[in-house]
């Protein structure tokens, strides 16, 4: 029986797809058979971020509608063993996502996979609701910025009232915060919300802090999950977050400004 | 590090303001979220009933539910129009209006005295 994770945020552009790609890759790197599903019907992008856009033939919606078999739509990652991508349709709209259809596909996937990671679209409409409905765990992607924090709080409310676990009175969906685009130098200047501020407001446990990093854009340019950039702070921070998700006790890095010198940078890297 | 910094009062860090604003707006939103969802409906239906007899302005109605430790208060505040207008309106009413959705502003002279009606009920 696999575990279902939803990567969600409410607000758009905070790093859900980047985080989904990185997280799924991280889980696969640690030996778990993982599939990452794009729920953003009509605005598919996970395929680009994962670098498999030219291999999409059938998609999630085709499988829901019985137009293709699940195995025909699943794309096996070329770099990482155990990693699969289920892209979504670029032409349909979110109404194509029926609860029964999504459930059928998730049930079939859960026979084979350890982790199913659902990459939610922005908003709190059908696509987002479907992506979180069956979740066991939710990772809330938030930027240290007012609108993102507010929307995250909203999505937490939705998880607590409209997920399957909430509706059926089961144990609630576990919720963890992934704070992305964090800039310790701006925090130090008092220009950006601190990790602790966001934690105090949202009141959920911290999974990880991903520093603002040029590596993220570089990685998406070439269709590589940023976690594979093992010399970048963002890549390392994602790797730590995956470890924490799996229960490891890993100290948070990159939350204070780094010294600029080359020597100290080397020291930090090796630490 | 310029001489100008010397004269400028230290501005309050914008992150502090961000946190305060978020705390305020979210306290409000969370309270709304946990409130019962029948309030808007209740407001609509109460209005429909009252509008049958009294000419009222939909926008001058407030329905509030406060939950206390041992008792909760349902507060319904309806602002009634001034007496003469109410009479005139009531006389003109039965023929043309049933729900009173579009009554109000036009019939009330600007700045006219407005009677206040409040009702409190323990539930």
């Amino acid at each position: 029986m696999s575990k279902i994770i939803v990567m969600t945020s409410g607000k758009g552009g905070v790093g859900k797809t980047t985080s989904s790609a990185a997280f799924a890759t991280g889980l696969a790197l640690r030996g778990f058979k993982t599939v990452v599903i794009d729920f953003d019907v009509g605005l598919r992008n996970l395929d680009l971020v994962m670098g498999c856009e030219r291999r999409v033939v059938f998609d999630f919606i085709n499988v829901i509608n019985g137009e293709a078999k699940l195995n025909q739509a699943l794309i096996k990652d070329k770099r990482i063993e155990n990693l699969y991508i289920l892209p979504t349709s670029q032409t349909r709209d979110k109404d194509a996502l029926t609860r029964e259809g999504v459930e059928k596909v998730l049930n079939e996937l859960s026979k084979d996979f350890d982790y199913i990671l659902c990459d939610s679209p922005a908003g709190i409409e059908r696509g987002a609701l479907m992506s979180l409905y069956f979740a066991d765990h939710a990772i809330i992607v938030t930027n240290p910025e007012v609108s993102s924090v507010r929307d995250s709080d909203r999505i937490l409310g939705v998880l607590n009232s409209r997920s399957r676990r909430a509706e059926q009175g089961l144990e609630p969906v576990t919720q963890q915060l992934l704070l992305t685009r964090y800039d310790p130098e701006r925090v130090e200047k008092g220009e950006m919300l601190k990790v602790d501020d966001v934690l105090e407001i949202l009141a959920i446990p911290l999974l990880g802090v991903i520093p603002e990093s040029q590596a993220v854009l570089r990685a998406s340019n070439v269709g590589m999950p940023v976690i594979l950039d093992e010399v970048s702070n963002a890549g390392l921070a994602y790797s730590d977050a995956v470890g924490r998700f799996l229960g490891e006790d890993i100290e948070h890095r990159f939350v204070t400004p780094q010294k600029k010198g080359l020597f100290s940078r080397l020291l930090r890297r090796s630490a | 590090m310029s001489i100008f910094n010397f004269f400028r009062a230290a501005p309050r860090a914008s992150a502090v303001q961000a946190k305060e604003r978020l705390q305020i707006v979210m306290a409000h939103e969370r309270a709304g979220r946990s409130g019962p969802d029948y309030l808007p409906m209740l407001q609509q239906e109460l209005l429909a009933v009252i509008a049958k007899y009294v000419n009222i302005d939909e926008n001058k109605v407030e329905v509030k539910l406060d939950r206390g430790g041992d008792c909760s208060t349902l507060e319904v505040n309806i602002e009634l129009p001034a007496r003469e207008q109410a009479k005139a309106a009531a006389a003109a009413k039965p023929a043309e209006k049933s729900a009173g959705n579009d009554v109000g502003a036009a019939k009330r002279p600007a700045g006219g005295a407005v009677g206040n009606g409040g009702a409190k009920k323990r539930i």
Side-chain angles (χ1 to χ4, degrees):
Chain A
M1 196 61 191
S2 57
K3 292 195 171 116
I4 303 178
I5 307 169
V6 61
M7 193 72 74
T8 187
S9 70
K11 190 177 182 298
V14 296
K16 283 182 296 298
T17 301
T18 300
S19 299
S20 293
F23 218 81
T25 306
L27 288 168
L29 280 172
R30 285 165 185 262
F32 295 101
K33 195 169 178 192
T34 305
V35 56
V36 53
I37 309 177
D38 192 345
F39 272 77
D40 203 348
V41 186
L43 294 169
R44 129 174 133 206
N45 277 318
L46 181 67
D47 55 336
L48 266 182
V49 175
M50 292 292 298
C52 63
E53 70 277 7
R54 295 174 63 177
R55 297 168 62 205
V56 178
V57 182
F58 293 109
D59 59 55
F60 189 24
I61 305 300
N62 290 138
V63 180
I64 288 178
N65 291 341
E67 297 152 2
K69 296 242 169 65
L70 185 55
N71 283 334
Q72 294 176 291
L74 279 175
I75 300 173
K76 188 179 187 314
D77 190 89
K78 285 193 165 158
R79 296 157 294 217
I80 315 290
E81 190 72 7
N82 290 328
L83 180 59
Y84 291 78
I85 300 108
L86 183 54
T88 193
S89 167
Q90 178 70 317
T91 51
R92 311 290 268 277
D93 63 39
K94 306 245 189 307
D95 294 336
L97 288 173
T98 60
R99 185 177 290 178
E100 296 71 28
V102 172
E103 184 170 26
K104 190 187 72 181
V105 176
L106 292 180
N107 281 341
E108 207 175 332
L109 286 170
S110 76
K111 289 179 206 150
D112 263 353
F113 287 91
D114 298 312
Y115 285 101
I116 301 173
L117 206 159
C118 304
D119 181 23
S120 169
I124 47 170
E125 274 139 58
R126 190 174 193 87
L129 292 179
M130 284 299 117
S131 72
L132 66 79
Y133 187 76
F134 296 99
D136 303 306
H137 307 279
I139 298 174
I140 315 296
V141 185
T142 306
N143 290 169
E145 178 268 329
V146 287
S147 51
S148 175
V149 175
R150 183 199 216 175
D151 290 358
S152 293
D153 189 61
R154 184 84 175 85
I155 213 78
L156 287 170
V158 173
L159 277 164
N160 288 333
S161 62
R162 301 179 69 182
S163 60
R164 182 184 65 96
R165 284 177 172 271
E167 282 185 5
Q168 297 180 358
L170 305 171
E171 205 166 297
V173 181
T174 62
Q175 301 162 344
Q176 288 170 298
L177 176 72
L178 190 63
L179 194 60
T180 56
R181 307 201 66 169
Y182 194 71
D183 186 337
E185 287 175 12
R186 299 198 74 182
V187 170
E188 190 146 90
K189 284 189 213 153
E191 292 178 356
M192 183 180 268
L193 288 165
K194 289 195 283 275
V195 181
D196 292 342
D197 293 340
V198 181
L199 286 175
E200 185 186 332
I201 293 167
L202 292 178
I204 55 172
L206 181 64
L207 181 62
V209 178
I210 312 299
E212 174 80 66
S213 163
Q214 300 186 350
V216 173
L217 179 59
R218 277 203 304 270
S220 79
N221 283 343
V222 298
M224 176 186 86
V226 70
I227 199 168
L228 294 177
D229 182 348
E230 286 163 353
V231 294
S232 72
N233 290 351
L236 294 170
Y238 273 117
S239 191
D240 287 357
V242 172
R244 279 184 214 108
F245 183 82
L246 296 170
E248 294 168 27
D249 188 14
I250 301 172
E251 207 178 324
H252 290 277
R253 304 189 256 184
F254 319 119
V255 291
T256 50
Q258 295 197 44
K259 304 279 188 302
K260 280 289 183 286
L262 178 65
F263 187 58
S264 63
R265 216 182 270 179
L266 287 173
L267 273 181
R268 231 167 240 280
R269 286 274 160 76
S270 61
Chain B
M1 285 304 120
S2 75
I3 193 159
F4 297 111
N5 289 346
F6 231 74
F7 300 108
R8 216 186 284 148
R12 204 153 65 101
S14 61
V16 175
Q17 295 182 49
K19 185 182 180 187
E20 287 172 6
R21 291 176 58 224
L22 270 172
Q23 282 173 323
I24 292 166
V25 73
M26 284 173 42
H28 187 73
E29 286 172 354
R30 282 173 181 160
R33 203 183 296 156
S34 59
D37 51 7
Y38 59 74
L39 280 189
M41 198 69 152
L42 176 69
Q43 174 161 345
Q44 285 291 314
E45 289 178 19
L46 275 174
L47 267 177
V49 172
I50 294 163
K52 262 168 129 176
Y53 304 96
V54 191
N55 202 359
I56 50 170
D57 183 347
E58 268 203 35
N59 297 322
K60 305 217 161 156
V61 178
E62 200 186 3
V63 180
K64 234 167 52 182
L65 182 69
D66 288 322
R67 286 202 192 282
D70 48 353
C71 85
S72 300
T73 320
L74 177 68
E75 189 178 321
V76 183
N77 250 306
I78 303 173
E79 216 170 273
L80 298 175
R83 192 171 281 243
E84 323 82 73
Q85 288 152 26
K87 258 189 206 160
K93 197 170 184 174
E96 43 186 55
K97 298 202 174 79
S98 57
N101 280 329
D102 52 353
V103 297
K107 292 196 178 105
R108 190 179 304 122
V114 177
N116 225 333
K120 275 199 179 182
K121 191 187 172 196
R122 304 248 160 209
I123 58 167

